[in-house]
Amino acid sequence: TCMAMVGKRRLLSTGSQENQYNLIKDRYDGCQIIMGNLEITQIESNWDFSFLKTIREVTGYILIAMNHFEEIPLGQLRVIRGNSLYERRFALSVFFNYPKDGSSGLRQLGLANLTEILQGGVQIINNKYLNYGPWIFWQDIIRDSSAPIAIRLNGDKGQCWDLTKTVCAPQCSGRCFGTSPRDCCHTECAAGCKGPLDVDCFACRLFNDSGACVPHCPQNLIYNKQTFQMETNPNAKYQYGSICVSQCPTHFVVDGSSCVSVCPPGKMEVVREGHRQCELCSGLCPKVCEGTGAEHRQTVDSSNIDSFINCTKIQGSLHFLVTGILGDAFKKIPPLDAKKLEVFHTVREITDILNIQSWPKELNDLSVFSSLTTIQGRSLYKRFSLMVMHIPTLTSLGLRSLQEISDGSVYISQNVKLCYHHTVNWTQLFRGRSVRVNNLSNNKPRAECVAEGHVCDLLCSDSGCWGPGPDQCVSCRNYSRGGTCVSSCNFYAGSVFTSTFLMLRCVACHQECKPQHGKPSCTGPVSSYNYTRTFWPSDLISTLASIWLFSHP
Ligand SMILES: *[C@@H]1O[C@H](CO)[C@@H](O)[C@H](O)[C@H]1NC(C)=O
Ligand SMILES: *[C@@H]1O[C@H](CO)[C@@H](O)[C@H](O)[C@H]1NC(C)=O
Ligand SMILES: *[C@@H]1O[C@H](CO)[C@@H](O)[C@H](O)[C@H]1NC(C)=O
Ligand SMILES: *[C@@H]1O[C@H](CO)[C@@H](O)[C@H](O)[C@H]1NC(C)=O
Ligand SMILES: *[C@@H]1O[C@H](CO)[C@@H](O)[C@H](O)[C@H]1NC(C)=O
């Protein structure tokens, strides 16, 4: 069985007839089941569509519009599932199939084997020459009794469908292969059947498991009635469209018991033992986004700011130029709303450079980048990877999470109100890799900053700070709890939020620990804390790993 994965295509496509025809042929040639929609539009006569004759099932909708052929070549088609609908209503939509000038066009539908539309309705309108076909008893075919049926044209001929539903005995819940009460199809059948069994169906209502129609594919866990236990099913299968398969096809990912083309929101693709599968993200799912700097995307501006929503990594650079912040009358791009810059709160990594040459006047720091930990500097501007210049409103950088500038130097210059940047131990951020020469000229003089009290919080270490307060330290003098420096971990506070001491960080006791008064509530952050354990929870391992990295630059 061949499958064609088909996405949504726009009705008005451009390109020559030949391109259009080849596109359709490439997509559907040899297919029996179309996973997705079947769209045939704007095809003039004389093209050979016999390759569509193999199609038995379409999982989405069928759209036949603005073509000039005389018959829809879909004689084998039995089922339209309508998992997606055209204009949100129609599983089958046939309109305007005749040329503006000329005397031929679609004359008959030719869907003689179509007996089931599982969801959605039918629209057949404005087909000037259509005679045979539309006068089918559509109620017999359309399962959803509330689905719309829009049939409009002149003429009244033809009726050559086999009824499979309305003629059935009342005992049949669905379709039948004869009029007697013994002639009911199996309840899992769609489109009718040739006998009473689940292997006699013309098509399956839900899933096809090696020829038998079943309500769900063989599941991963099955109940053992003897042992009263759930057991792993060695014959479990995944659902792939309307078929049960023991392995997902290449390019598909396992999500639970299904094969999907992309993981759903909130999950990300991982490879486990050579198999691709979807797993829940802890927090925001990783999302890599294109940066700015290319000709069509020179600066962050109001026209592209939404492309940065939920990005965790910028592939490339971020440039903030005056044409982006204040707008570009020439290119008709309006000014950028300062609130919109909040989207950058999710960015943790930039692979190239961060270049800020213009900034909204409402903002006096760069704290929209408060999650940014790494600027890689893979390609540099001159020799710089962090540039902040001529921002008159800037009083502090506010890059509280920045821990590493992997390559390139820092250019922070001509920001007349800027303080705190003098305090930062940039060498530490460079991790000792290569010699770098910063240019930190013509900002507010250090002496003036100190005189005005713009100095680091006492809880910050000598590595400096990004701005005022204990949450802007590059590192802590004592301990850090949730990114803020504290003088001690309150072992003895006794509340559920009691913290404990793990190297330099305070980590809350596990929530199962009973708060103790006047003594520590726990000796570590997990409910059964034991240094000899071979299995450690992954969040603890990553905490330890990041502490280790931090103390071993
Ligand atoms: C309908 O399906 C049957 C069985 O597959 C086939 O023999 C017949 O040719 C089909 N009808 C048309 C018009 O293609
Ligand atoms: C189920 O799939 C098999 C191929 O695996 C196919 O031969 C059979 O016709 C299908 N049955 C139905 C009812 O779609
Ligand atoms: C961003 O992520 C949130 C939370 O995961 C989600 O609800 C939202 O739809 C996402 N927005 C976009 C544009 O991706
Ligand atoms: C900055 O950090 C480096 C590396 O950690 C260290 O060797 C150096 O002494 C620090 N400089 C200052 C002024 O603290
Ligand atoms: C820093 O940049 C300014 C402006 O481009 C320049 O005039 C100055 O010479 C530079 N200083 C150093 C030390 O490179």
Side-chain angles (χ1 to χ4, degrees):
T1 302
C2 147
M3 315 266 152
M5 200 67 206
V6 187
K8 255 194 185 158
R9 215 149 46 82
R10 247 173 306 141
L11 190 54
L12 289 171
S13 58
T14 49
S16 69
Q17 274 293 300
E18 195 169 350
N19 282 343
Q20 182 84 344
Y21 173 79
N22 287 334
L23 209 84
I24 293 177
K25 184 156 182 184
D26 281 352
R27 227 170 237 182
Y28 305 119
D29 195 10
C31 297
Q32 295 187 15
I33 299 180
I34 307 247
M35 305 258 267
N37 307 323
L38 172 59
E39 299 190 348
I40 305 174
T41 61
Q42 291 167 299
I43 294 294
E44 288 157 18
S45 46
N46 310 328
W47 294 95
D48 177 16
F49 273 95
S50 55
F51 61 87
L52 294 175
K53 288 223 168 80
T54 52
I55 295 172
R56 288 190 292 130
E57 243 184 82
V58 172
T59 65
Y61 62 75
I62 295 184
L63 170 67
I64 310 277
M66 295 180 275
N67 303 294
H68 301 174
F69 44 64
E70 296 200 348
E71 180 180 339
I72 302 172
L74 288 168
Q76 293 281 349
L77 181 75
R78 293 216 176 259
V79 188
I80 307 174
R81 293 190 178 273
N83 292 343
S84 62
L85 297 176
Y86 184 66
E87 291 182 335
R88 299 219 200 106
R89 287 174 293 162
F90 299 112
L92 174 63
S93 215
V94 183
F95 57 84
F96 283 118
N97 290 291
Y98 62 93
K100 236 191 220 136
D101 20 60
S103 58
S104 75
L106 187 66
R107 290 193 180 273
Q108 63 184 78
L109 287 182
L111 299 169
N113 272 321
L114 177 65
T115 46
E116 183 91 56
I117 292 178
L118 288 165
Q119 288 176 59
V122 170
Q123 154 180 263
I124 301 175
I125 53 174
N126 296 323
N127 299 287
K128 201 168 167 184
Y129 302 102
L130 184 61
N131 281 320
Y132 296 97
W135 312 118
I136 302 145
F137 200 43
W138 286 104
Q139 279 89 343
D140 190 66
I141 293 177
I142 296 173
R143 186 170 284 236
D144 176 0
S145 57
S146 64
I149 301 178
I151 312 282
R152 189 156 18 93
L153 85 173
N154 33 11
D156 183 0
K157 284 185 220 152
Q159 165 62 284
C160 40
W161 251 253
D162 277 339
L163 297 187
T164 61
K165 196 156 91 179
T166 43
V167 297
C168 296
Q171 287 85 346
C172 299
S173 53
R175 300 188 180 275
C176 53
F177 56 97
T179 49
S180 137
R182 281 176 319 226
D183 298 343
C184 298
C185 292
H186 193 274
T187 50
E188 287 305 322
C189 292
C193 59
K194 56 181 190 290
L197 303 177
D198 61 1
V199 293
D200 294 330
C201 307
F202 289 154
C204 296
R205 189 174 68 88
L206 294 167
F207 301 105
N208 177 347
D209 180 17
S210 318
C213 294
V214 293
H216 47 71
C217 296
Q219 288 170 328
N220 213 350
L221 292 176
I222 40 172
Y223 185 63
N224 183 326
K225 281 182 238 162
Q226 272 77 47
T227 62
F228 302 99
Q229 275 175 1
M230 299 300 285
E231 290 175 358
T232 314
N233 180 2
N235 304 316
K237 289 189 183 172
Y238 302 108
Q239 61 187 62
Y240 169 51
S242 53
I243 306 174
C244 303
V245 292
S246 16
Q247 270 192 330
C248 289
T250 35
H251 306 307
F252 281 79
V253 195
V254 173
D255 180 25
S257 58
S258 311
C259 306
V260 297
S261 51
V262 285
C263 292
K267 289 190 179 178
M268 62 182 193
E269 192 179 315
V270 294
V271 177
R272 292 238 182 277
E273 289 156 17
H275 296 291
R276 304 196 304 158
Q277 58 189 65
C278 303
E279 279 186 8
L280 279 175
C281 306
S282 54
L284 208 60
C285 290
K287 181 177 172 190
V288 180
C289 301
E290 183 198 351
T292 57
E295 186 56 38
H296 66 283
R297 209 169 144 89
Q298 290 175 338
T299 170
V300 173
D301 63 30
S302 56
S303 76
N304 60 32
I305 186 82
D306 289 339
S307 71
F308 296 103
I309 293 175
N310 290 349
C311 301
T312 57
K313 178 171 177 176
I314 303 294
Q315 187 74 43
S317 301
L318 286 179
H319 299 268
F320 294 85
L321 308 181
V322 66
T323 46
I325 300 296
L326 299 182
D328 188 340
F330 181 69
K331 289 188 187 161
K332 298 207 170 62
I333 293 175
L336 184 52
D337 180 357
K339 284 198 200 70
K340 286 255 181 179
L341 290 180
E342 298 278 329
V343 297
F344 293 109
H345 269 303
T346 55
V347 172
R348 298 194 276 252
E349 195 174 357
I350 296 174
T351 63
D352 291 357
I353 72 169
L354 176 60
N355 172 15
I356 297 180
Q357 301 189 13
S358 180
W359 201 240
K361 59 182 186 313
E362 300 90 318
L363 305 180
N364 55 21
D365 60 27
L366 310 178
S367 62
V368 298
F369 286 107
S370 65
S371 305
L372 180 67
T373 62
T374 309
I375 298 173
Q376 290 189 11
R378 282 192 208 163
S379 68
L380 304 173
Y381 178 78
K382 309 246 167 136
R383 57 173 201 273
F384 301 107
S385 54
L386 171 61
M387 313 213 304
V388 183
M389 63 185 93
H390 292 289
I391 313 294
T393 54
L394 204 64
T395 57
S396 66
L397 292 173
L399 299 169
R400 55 175 295 214
S401 300
L402 189 61
Q403 284 172 18
E404 176 168 342
I405 298 176
S406 320
D407 204 353
S409 306
V410 172
Y411 183 97
I412 298 176
S413 184
Q414 283 116 314
N415 307 290
V416 292
K417 288 192 187 162
L418 183 63
C419 290
Y420 303 100
H421 62 288
H422 311 104
T423 67
V424 173
N425 182 343
W426 297 100
T427 316
Q428 191 176 321
L429 270 74
F430 297 151
R431 304 283 168 113
R433 282 185 233 150
S434 68
V435 178
R436 326 245 184 120
V437 185
N438 293 337
N439 185 330
L440 305 178
S441 60
N442 302 324
N443 302 301
K444 192 166 209 164
R446 180 188 278 251
E448 271 181 46
C449 293
V450 174
E452 290 169 11
H454 299 309
V455 293
C456 293
D457 194 278
L458 290 173
L459 291 166
C460 296
S461 72
D462 292 338
S463 299
C465 64
W466 302 105
D471 61 348
Q472 295 291 330
C473 306
V474 172
S475 65
C476 297
R477 190 163 294 287
N478 304 303
Y479 309 112
S480 151
R481 188 198 302 131
T484 297
C485 295
V486 292
S487 54
S488 69
C489 294
N490 18 343
F491 298 112
Y492 299 123
S495 70
V496 179
F497 214 65
T498 298
S499 303
T500 185
F501 165 61
L502 183 69
M503 302 205 209
L504 290 175
R505 257 173 227 208
C506 306
V507 183
C509 286
H510 191 274
Q511 57 192 13
E512 289 294 316
C513 297
K514 187 177 177 209
Q516 305 287 313
H517 287 278
K519 54 181 178 175
S521 303
C522 60
T523 56
V526 290
S527 55
S528 102
Y529 196 62
N530 182 346
Y531 283 97
T532 61
R533 273 164 73 131
T534 51
F535 166 75
W536 280 27
S538 61
D539 57 340
L540 175 59
I541 291 173
S542 66
T543 310
L544 289 169
S546 62
I547 292 169
W548 188 86
L549 282 174
F550 212 66
S551 46
H552 299 78

Short mmCIF file of all heavy atoms in Angstrom, two decimals, residues 4-9 27-28 34-40 58-63 82-86 90-91:
data_model
loop_
_atom_site.label_atom_id
_atom_site.label_comp_id
_atom_site.label_asym_id
_atom_site.label_seq_id
_atom_site.Cartn_x
_atom_site.Cartn_y
_atom_site.Cartn_z
N ALA A 4 0.49 8.71 0.36
CA ALA A 4 1.01 10.02 0.01
C ALA A 4 0.66 10.96 1.13
O ALA A 4 -0.49 11.10 1.48
CB ALA A 4 0.40 10.50 -1.29
N MET A 5 1.67 11.54 1.73
CA MET A 5 1.42 12.50 2.81
C MET A 5 1.22 13.83 2.13
O MET A 5 2.11 14.33 1.46
CB MET A 5 2.65 12.54 3.71
CG MET A 5 2.36 13.09 5.06
SD MET A 5 1.28 11.99 5.98
CE MET A 5 0.52 13.18 7.06
N VAL A 6 0.07 14.39 2.31
CA VAL A 6 -0.23 15.61 1.58
C VAL A 6 -0.67 16.69 2.53
O VAL A 6 -1.53 16.50 3.37
CB VAL A 6 -1.36 15.35 0.56
CG1 VAL A 6 -1.54 16.57 -0.31
CG2 VAL A 6 -1.03 14.15 -0.27
N GLY A 7 -0.08 17.84 2.39
CA GLY A 7 -0.46 18.97 3.22
C GLY A 7 -1.52 19.79 2.52
O GLY A 7 -2.05 19.41 1.51
N LYS A 8 -1.81 20.94 3.08
CA LYS A 8 -2.80 21.83 2.48
C LYS A 8 -2.14 22.60 1.36
O LYS A 8 -1.02 23.05 1.47
CB LYS A 8 -3.27 22.83 3.54
CG LYS A 8 -4.65 22.49 4.02
CD LYS A 8 -5.23 23.68 4.78
CE LYS A 8 -6.56 23.28 5.38
NZ LYS A 8 -6.94 24.10 6.48
N ARG A 9 -2.85 22.74 0.28
CA ARG A 9 -2.30 23.50 -0.81
C ARG A 9 -3.27 24.63 -1.13
O ARG A 9 -4.47 24.51 -0.94
CB ARG A 9 -2.16 22.60 -2.03
CG ARG A 9 -0.96 22.91 -2.86
CD ARG A 9 -0.45 21.64 -3.51
NE ARG A 9 -1.51 20.86 -4.11
CZ ARG A 9 -2.01 21.12 -5.31
NH1 ARG A 9 -1.57 22.13 -6.01
NH2 ARG A 9 -2.96 20.37 -5.80
N ARG A 27 2.52 13.35 -6.64
CA ARG A 27 1.96 13.21 -5.32
C ARG A 27 1.10 11.96 -5.17
O ARG A 27 1.14 11.30 -4.15
CB ARG A 27 1.07 14.42 -5.07
CG ARG A 27 1.31 15.02 -3.73
CD ARG A 27 0.60 16.31 -3.63
NE ARG A 27 1.55 17.35 -3.30
CZ ARG A 27 1.21 18.60 -3.11
NH1 ARG A 27 -0.02 18.98 -3.27
NH2 ARG A 27 2.12 19.48 -2.79
N TYR A 28 0.32 11.66 -6.18
CA TYR A 28 -0.72 10.65 -5.99
C TYR A 28 -0.51 9.37 -6.79
O TYR A 28 -1.26 8.41 -6.61
CB TYR A 28 -2.09 11.23 -6.35
CG TYR A 28 -2.44 12.49 -5.61
CD1 TYR A 28 -2.68 13.68 -6.27
CD2 TYR A 28 -2.56 12.47 -4.22
CE1 TYR A 28 -3.02 14.83 -5.57
CE2 TYR A 28 -2.89 13.61 -3.52
CZ TYR A 28 -3.13 14.79 -4.20
OH TYR A 28 -3.46 15.92 -3.51
N ILE A 34 -4.81 7.91 0.53
CA ILE A 34 -4.19 9.23 0.61
C ILE A 34 -4.32 9.73 2.03
O ILE A 34 -5.43 9.91 2.52
CB ILE A 34 -4.90 10.23 -0.34
CG1 ILE A 34 -4.94 9.64 -1.72
CG2 ILE A 34 -4.23 11.60 -0.26
CD1 ILE A 34 -4.15 10.30 -2.75
N MET A 35 -3.19 9.89 2.67
CA MET A 35 -3.21 10.44 4.02
C MET A 35 -3.16 11.94 3.87
O MET A 35 -2.10 12.50 3.62
CB MET A 35 -1.98 9.97 4.77
CG MET A 35 -1.85 8.48 4.77
SD MET A 35 -2.37 7.82 6.31
CE MET A 35 -0.82 7.77 7.12
N GLY A 36 -4.28 12.59 4.01
CA GLY A 36 -4.33 14.03 3.78
C GLY A 36 -5.41 14.31 2.77
O GLY A 36 -6.35 13.54 2.62
N ASN A 37 -5.27 15.41 2.05
CA ASN A 37 -6.33 15.83 1.14
C ASN A 37 -5.95 15.53 -0.30
O ASN A 37 -4.78 15.52 -0.66
CB ASN A 37 -6.56 17.33 1.30
CG ASN A 37 -6.81 17.69 2.75
OD1 ASN A 37 -7.46 16.94 3.47
ND2 ASN A 37 -6.28 18.81 3.18
N LEU A 38 -6.98 15.33 -1.10
CA LEU A 38 -6.76 15.16 -2.53
C LEU A 38 -7.32 16.40 -3.21
O LEU A 38 -8.51 16.67 -3.15
CB LEU A 38 -7.49 13.91 -3.02
CG LEU A 38 -7.52 13.69 -4.53
CD1 LEU A 38 -6.11 13.59 -5.09
CD2 LEU A 38 -8.30 12.44 -4.88
N GLU A 39 -6.44 17.18 -3.81
CA GLU A 39 -6.89 18.41 -4.46
C GLU A 39 -6.51 18.35 -5.93
O GLU A 39 -5.34 18.18 -6.26
CB GLU A 39 -6.21 19.62 -3.81
CG GLU A 39 -6.54 19.78 -2.35
CD GLU A 39 -6.06 21.12 -1.79
OE1 GLU A 39 -5.27 21.80 -2.49
OE2 GLU A 39 -6.46 21.46 -0.68
N ILE A 40 -7.50 18.49 -6.79
CA ILE A 40 -7.23 18.57 -8.22
C ILE A 40 -7.86 19.85 -8.71
O ILE A 40 -9.08 19.99 -8.71
CB ILE A 40 -7.80 17.35 -8.97
CG1 ILE A 40 -7.26 16.06 -8.34
CG2 ILE A 40 -7.43 17.42 -10.44
CD1 ILE A 40 -7.87 14.83 -8.92
N VAL A 58 -9.47 8.37 1.07
CA VAL A 58 -8.84 9.66 1.33
C VAL A 58 -9.15 10.02 2.77
O VAL A 58 -10.31 9.99 3.18
CB VAL A 58 -9.37 10.74 0.35
CG1 VAL A 58 -8.86 12.12 0.73
CG2 VAL A 58 -8.97 10.41 -1.08
N THR A 59 -8.12 10.32 3.55
CA THR A 59 -8.39 10.57 4.97
C THR A 59 -8.86 11.99 5.23
O THR A 59 -9.52 12.25 6.21
CB THR A 59 -7.14 10.28 5.84
OG1 THR A 59 -6.13 11.22 5.48
CG2 THR A 59 -6.64 8.88 5.65
N GLY A 60 -8.50 12.92 4.35
CA GLY A 60 -8.94 14.32 4.53
C GLY A 60 -10.15 14.60 3.66
O GLY A 60 -11.14 13.87 3.70
N TYR A 61 -10.05 15.66 2.85
CA TYR A 61 -11.17 15.98 1.96
C TYR A 61 -10.73 15.84 0.50
O TYR A 61 -9.55 15.70 0.19
CB TYR A 61 -11.66 17.41 2.22
CG TYR A 61 -10.65 18.51 1.98
CD1 TYR A 61 -10.30 18.90 0.68
CD2 TYR A 61 -10.04 19.17 3.04
CE1 TYR A 61 -9.38 19.91 0.45
CE2 TYR A 61 -9.11 20.19 2.83
CZ TYR A 61 -8.79 20.54 1.54
OH TYR A 61 -7.87 21.53 1.33
N ILE A 62 -11.74 15.90 -0.40
CA ILE A 62 -11.44 15.93 -1.83
C ILE A 62 -11.96 17.23 -2.40
O ILE A 62 -13.10 17.62 -2.16
CB ILE A 62 -12.10 14.74 -2.56
CG1 ILE A 62 -11.48 13.43 -2.06
CG2 ILE A 62 -11.93 14.86 -4.07
CD1 ILE A 62 -12.00 12.20 -2.77
N LEU A 63 -11.09 17.93 -3.11
CA LEU A 63 -11.47 19.18 -3.74
C LEU A 63 -11.22 19.05 -5.25
O LEU A 63 -10.10 18.76 -5.67
CB LEU A 63 -10.61 20.32 -3.18
CG LEU A 63 -10.71 21.67 -3.89
CD1 LEU A 63 -12.09 22.27 -3.71
CD2 LEU A 63 -9.65 22.62 -3.38
N GLY A 82 -12.77 12.56 5.83
CA GLY A 82 -13.09 13.92 6.28
C GLY A 82 -12.42 14.30 7.59
O GLY A 82 -12.94 15.07 8.37
N ASN A 83 -11.21 13.76 7.85
CA ASN A 83 -10.48 14.17 9.06
C ASN A 83 -10.11 15.64 8.99
O ASN A 83 -9.92 16.29 10.01
CB ASN A 83 -9.20 13.34 9.23
CG ASN A 83 -9.52 11.90 9.56
OD1 ASN A 83 -10.65 11.59 9.96
ND2 ASN A 83 -8.56 11.02 9.38
N SER A 84 -9.95 16.17 7.78
CA SER A 84 -9.91 17.63 7.63
C SER A 84 -10.94 17.96 6.56
O SER A 84 -11.21 17.13 5.68
CB SER A 84 -8.52 18.10 7.22
OG SER A 84 -8.17 17.56 5.98
N LEU A 85 -11.55 19.14 6.66
CA LEU A 85 -12.66 19.48 5.78
C LEU A 85 -12.35 20.75 5.01
O LEU A 85 -11.70 21.65 5.53
CB LEU A 85 -13.94 19.66 6.60
CG LEU A 85 -14.42 18.42 7.35
CD1 LEU A 85 -15.64 18.74 8.20
CD2 LEU A 85 -14.76 17.30 6.37
N TYR A 86 -12.83 20.78 3.77
CA TYR A 86 -12.66 21.99 2.97
C TYR A 86 -13.64 23.04 3.47
O TYR A 86 -14.82 22.76 3.67
CB TYR A 86 -12.90 21.66 1.49
CG TYR A 86 -12.66 22.84 0.58
CD1 TYR A 86 -11.39 23.36 0.43
CD2 TYR A 86 -13.72 23.44 -0.09
CE1 TYR A 86 -11.16 24.45 -0.39
CE2 TYR A 86 -13.50 24.53 -0.90
CZ TYR A 86 -12.22 25.03 -1.05
OH TYR A 86 -11.99 26.13 -1.84
N PHE A 90 -16.84 20.70 4.25
CA PHE A 90 -17.09 19.75 3.17
C PHE A 90 -15.98 18.71 3.04
O PHE A 90 -14.80 19.02 2.98
CB PHE A 90 -17.23 20.50 1.85
CG PHE A 90 -18.39 21.46 1.86
CD1 PHE A 90 -18.17 22.83 1.82
CD2 PHE A 90 -19.69 20.99 1.93
CE1 PHE A 90 -19.23 23.72 1.86
CE2 PHE A 90 -20.76 21.88 1.96
CZ PHE A 90 -20.53 23.24 1.92
N ALA A 91 -16.42 17.44 2.95
CA ALA A 91 -15.49 16.35 2.69
C ALA A 91 -15.29 16.19 1.19
O ALA A 91 -14.28 15.69 0.74
CB ALA A 91 -16.02 15.05 3.30
#
